[in-house]
Amino acid sequence: MAGSGGRPGVGSGLALTFGSAVLWGLAHLCTGRRRTGALLMAADLTLVTAGVTALLTARPFLLGLAVQPGWLTVFSAVALLFALATVAVVIRSYQLVRPRPLTGAAHYLSTAAVGLLCVLVVTPMAYAARLAYVSQNVMASVFGTSSTPVPADPWRGRERINILLIGGDAAPSRAGVRTDSITVASVDTRTGKTLLFGLPRNLQRVPMPIGPARDRFPYGFGGEPPLTPAILNEVWQYAEDHPEIVPGVVTGERGPALLKKTVGGILGLDVAHYAMVDMRGFARIVDALGGVRITVREPIVYGRRNEGLIQAGTRTLSGEEALWYGRSRTYSSDYVRMSRQKCLMNALAKQADPVRVIRSFERLATATANAVSTDIPQELLPALVGLAGKVRGAEIESLQFVPPMIDTNDPDYDLIKEKVTAALAGRPAAKPATATRRSPVPAAPGAPAGASASPQETVALGATCG
């Protein structure tokens, strides 16, 4: 119903105002301002169409932009400008279509309705800008910048990228960092097919890379007896405590530098980067995602006094339960828990879909910033995001170098390399998967004979986590 002077009534005016928030220029056209209305409508349709088209057709490209701080700043500015422009259109539209004179309750109610509409318009854009700001902080706190230029296509001529994945177990009662979960993810850059190579934390006589570390430990890593047992999970902290074996590397980077070279030498792979997750931080990440759904094959007892129990069956684990699922050795072994850790990695990779990530983004970002350390540079993130999309849709397989395949007291490092080569080539290794006593590292004078391997659970290539 029209008001005085040919203006719409209160209800019609509010409807046109609300409509103008969705389609700019609607109120202008209805009040005879055709040129302005047409320009506003064209601008709105162009922006919306471009945004929808980009989301539907250029999602990998947009995800690549989302991990670049510069583009996150641009996105924040664009989101806020779009919100402010829409608010300006809403207010001007209301001015054009509101009845005059408008007094009393109708005036206050209609003004309140328009104000609420402005809040509804600004809120999602402000939230999007907030997410971009949080993302920038995560990028800055977790990822550094590369000292060398990263090519636009870092996978050109590179069939695989190998990343060392570490579960760190630091605690107030323990000096330094203990790397209790050591896995290399070898990803095919063309297909995303991923092989996870797991090394036991208690590998002994680990061959060190050529240089000061090999000079100090020519017969394999010896640690600091009798204070330590001289096993693989001590390499990180030993490098941090002894800068002379990793010359030219600053504090905080010596541990990962030596561990990458050491693990790469064991597997016969060029390990490019590492990512370490603090165990407690891992629990917070899982909680931020709303838990992780996984099949528990048999009940798992955990806790200092065996006070916890994860029942068998397919269930969604909380962060605390997922942490103990991956680390409990009660009535079990290091090797069984290694198998469970790979199952967790697989489940998280498959279940961390964009909807879940966005829904819990701020909690996830905070947990990640506090729990993750890595040497992956910001410049490589766009390419890694694209590769991660392939990984989610591809097969993930695991090969664990545990007894009876490998005797951790005296490992056959030649066999490990052969198994890795065979797995990457998609064929079975020539040697049987039994514990042997051959090692390229010569026995130290007077070294005791290694104990024979006990038959423990082995997760072979292609094993499932169901």
Side-chain angles (χ1 to χ4, degrees):
M1 180 175 177
S4 61
R7 286 174 176 267
V10 175
S12 300
L14 289 176
L16 285 172
T17 302
F18 276 68
S20 296
V22 178
L23 185 60
W24 294 356
L26 185 61
H28 289 72
L29 289 175
C30 291
T31 55
R33 292 165 174 79
R34 292 182 175 82
R35 179 176 295 180
T36 303
L39 288 174
L40 287 172
M41 195 171 290
D44 188 37
L45 289 174
T46 299
L47 290 172
V48 172
T49 301
V52 172
T53 301
L55 287 173
L56 294 177
T57 63
R59 183 177 171 185
F61 175 73
L62 293 178
L63 289 175
L65 295 182
V67 291
Q68 299 181 58
W71 280 105
L72 288 173
T73 301
V74 171
F75 176 79
S76 297
V78 170
L80 291 176
L81 286 174
F82 182 80
L84 293 175
T86 304
V87 167
V89 169
V90 167
I91 293 174
R92 181 56 181 160
S93 298
Y94 178 64
Q95 290 173 343
L96 292 174
V97 299
R98 68 180 176 180
R100 293 178 183 172
L102 187 63
T103 59
H107 169 72
Y108 292 111
L109 289 175
S110 60
T111 301
V114 173
L116 178 61
L117 176 59
C118 291
V119 171
L120 293 176
V121 167
V122 170
T123 298
M125 294 296 101
Y127 181 67
R130 168 68 181 173
L131 293 186
Y133 173 76
V134 171
S135 297
Q136 281 183 300
N137 288 341
V138 173
M139 296 298 109
S141 62
V142 176
F143 302 95
T145 56
S146 177
S147 58
T148 58
V150 176
D153 182 9
W155 314 140
R156 185 184 297 274
R158 189 176 183 178
E159 292 186 1
R160 309 194 72 87
I161 181 171
N162 305 306
I163 300 177
L164 176 61
L165 307 176
I166 306 165
D169 192 4
S173 60
R174 183 182 303 116
V177 175
R178 188 173 66 182
T179 55
D180 277 354
S181 175
I182 301 173
T183 301
V184 170
S186 183
V187 185
D188 189 312
T189 59
R190 298 159 300 177
T191 65
K193 182 177 180 180
T194 302
L195 297 174
L196 300 176
F197 298 112
L199 292 174
R201 69 186 184 97
N202 59 338
L203 275 183
Q204 296 187 15
R205 300 181 62 232
V206 177
M208 304 303 289
I210 295 175
R214 176 74 63 86
D215 294 341
R216 177 164 298 185
F217 299 112
Y219 306 110
F221 180 66
E224 295 182 293
L227 301 177
T228 63
I231 55 179
L232 179 59
N233 79 334
E234 300 170 28
V235 170
W236 176 298
Q237 193 58 43
Y238 189 91
E240 290 295 331
D241 295 339
H242 298 81
E244 66 278 5
I245 69 168
V246 194
V249 182
V250 300
T251 301
E253 297 180 9
R254 291 192 290 266
L258 184 59
L259 189 59
K260 281 194 302 181
K261 289 184 179 180
T262 301
V263 171
I266 293 172
L267 300 175
L269 298 175
D270 176 21
V271 178
H273 301 287
Y274 86 94
M276 182 170 74
V277 179
D278 171 72
M279 291 295 190
R280 288 291 168 185
F282 170 79
R284 291 191 291 270
I285 290 173
V286 172
D287 281 333
L289 285 170
V292 57
R293 190 162 184 81
I294 202 164
T295 297
V296 182
R297 293 187 175 185
E298 56 187 33
I300 297 172
V301 178
Y302 66 87
R304 292 183 179 275
R305 297 178 179 84
N306 298 341
E307 66 272 18
L309 176 67
I310 302 174
Q311 295 285 1
T314 300
R315 60 186 69 256
T316 298
L317 303 183
S318 67
E320 184 73 12
E321 290 172 330
L323 175 64
W324 283 108
Y325 174 87
R327 72 183 301 189
S328 176
R329 291 180 292 168
T330 305
Y331 308 126
S332 183
S333 68
D334 270 335
Y335 317 117
V336 174
R337 80 170 179 176
M338 283 176 64
S339 167
R340 295 198 299 262
Q341 287 166 3
K342 303 307 173 292
C343 292
L344 272 178
M345 290 182 191
N346 198 343
L348 284 172
K350 298 296 184 183
Q351 295 171 34
D353 60 88
V355 173
R356 293 184 71 189
V357 170
I358 292 174
R359 189 174 58 211
S360 55
F361 186 81
E362 290 208 43
R363 290 180 61 205
L364 182 60
T366 301
T368 300
N370 294 330
V372 176
S373 59
T374 182
D375 64 351
I376 296 173
Q378 293 179 11
E379 295 83 353
L380 188 61
L381 290 178
L384 282 177
V385 166
L387 185 59
K390 296 179 181 178
V391 171
R392 287 191 72 246
E395 187 178 10
I396 300 178
E397 297 180 328
S398 176
L399 177 59
Q400 314 277 18
F401 295 106
V402 299
M405 181 196 299
I406 297 297
D407 178 353
T408 57
N409 295 307
D410 186 15
D412 184 344
Y413 291 108
D414 285 333
L415 177 60
I416 291 177
K417 288 188 178 69
E418 181 180 323
K419 292 284 186 180
V420 170
T421 301
L424 294 177
R427 56 179 173 78
K431 293 184 180 182
T434 56
T436 60
R437 291 186 45 77
R438 290 180 52 212
S439 171
V441 182
S452 60
S454 58
Q456 302 282 358
E457 179 177 334
T458 302
V459 178
L461 193 65
T464 63
C465 293

